[in-house]
Amino acid sequence: METGKEAGTGIASDGKSSAVKGGKTVEECQGMIQKSLRTPMVKFLREHMEKAGCGVGEKFFKAIHCDQSVGGGYVPGEGVVVCSNHMNIQDEVNQVVIHALIHAYDDCRANIDWTDCAHLACSKIRANHLSGDCHYKREFLRGNLKIRGHEQECVKRRVIKELTPHFSETAARDAMEAVWETCYNDTKPFDRAP
């Protein structure tokens, strides 16, 4: 895959394999993806994708060089891409893979219309909430020092940021608020939010 679009982020690749700004090469990142596939959370998500009827083999995951300043994501019908030139450490790769697998799980179980703002908002709420993207340690490292209530604020902030390249801020906020309670409380395939 030399070009592709991630659900709602517009990831595109020019096919280059060289790292920029301290990122990894495509080859180095592909090795990091292989390590990620052995983590408990990724194994759990892959097992539940399989149970839902959507098997995800190793070819479902691919490192690419990205033009946009994003870490990667889920490309409907193709799989998970990780932007090698924006990855520096294993934890970053793990987070992209986990976040994208939650989108893939949603697509598998609910046939998401990725052009529908409410559908996209719901999957983004779930991915940001369930992936650990808004864990207090990550928020602290981002400079968001609030101790109480940080997680929901973080999820909302990230959802709006991820939706606004594709929808107006008003449409994004309205869609997010309309689906918030249902989607935030939907922790499938987990029993509760990890």
Side-chain angles (χ1 to χ4, degrees), residues 68-193:
Q68 289 80 6
S69 183
V70 294
Y74 170 61
V75 181
E78 295 183 38
V80 172
V81 296
V82 179
C83 297
S84 63
N85 51 314
H86 299 293
M87 297 293 109
N88 291 300
I89 61 173
Q90 185 65 46
D91 184 63
E92 293 170 332
V93 174
N94 295 349
Q95 278 307 114
V96 169
V97 170
I98 291 165
H99 185 108
L101 274 173
I102 293 167
H103 287 307
Y105 178 80
D106 286 349
D107 199 22
C108 176
R109 74 179 179 136
N111 296 316
I112 303 290
D113 176 355
W114 297 106
T115 63
D116 181 292
C117 191
H119 284 208
L120 189 55
C122 186
S123 190
K124 289 191 176 296
I125 289 167
R126 287 178 31 76
N128 281 291
H129 177 50
L130 301 174
S131 68
D133 287 335
C134 288
H135 188 275
Y136 75 92
K137 289 179 186 175
R138 291 183 198 290
E139 278 290 89
F140 178 77
L141 293 172
R142 291 180 190 122
N144 297 316
L145 305 175
K146 187 174 179 182
I147 301 299
R148 299 180 133 273
H150 80 278
E151 204 270 348
Q152 288 190 16
E153 285 182 18
C154 170
V155 171
K156 288 181 178 185
R157 182 182 70 247
R158 291 174 63 87
V159 168
I160 295 299
K161 182 180 177 186
E162 293 173 14
L163 289 175
T164 51
H166 313 286
F167 303 97
S168 72
E169 186 167 346
T170 301
R173 196 166 301 285
D174 289 349
M176 180 184 68
E177 292 300 332
V179 300
W180 177 263
E181 190 172 333
T182 299
C183 299
Y184 186 82
N185 291 315
D186 178 2
T187 61
K188 298 271 190 238
F190 306 98
D191 292 333
R192 59 181 173 76

Side-chain angles (χ1 to χ4, degrees), residues 4-98:
K5 282 204 171 273
E6 187 267 336
T9 64
I11 294 172
S13 166
D14 61 7
K16 295 178 185 173
S17 64
S18 61
V20 293
K21 296 182 184 175
K24 300 294 181 186
T25 65
V26 168
E27 294 78 15
E28 290 169 326
C29 187
Q30 198 65 46
M32 294 169 87
I33 290 170
Q34 293 306 309
K35 283 184 183 176
S36 180
L37 298 181
R38 295 189 297 268
T39 64
M41 178 85 95
V42 172
K43 284 181 176 180
F44 175 85
L45 289 166
R46 289 179 73 191
E47 286 171 13
H48 283 280
M49 291 276 301
E50 188 78 35
K51 287 178 185 175
C54 300
V56 290
E58 290 188 18
K59 292 183 184 219
F60 191 77
F61 304 89
K62 186 169 186 172
I64 63 172
H65 178 96
C66 298
D67 296 332
Q68 289 80 6
S69 183
V70 294
Y74 170 61
V75 181
E78 295 183 38
V80 172
V81 296
V82 179
C83 297
S84 63
N85 51 314
H86 299 293
M87 297 293 109
N88 291 300
I89 61 173
Q90 185 65 46
D91 184 63
E92 293 170 332
V93 174
N94 295 349
Q95 278 307 114
V96 169
V97 170
I98 291 165

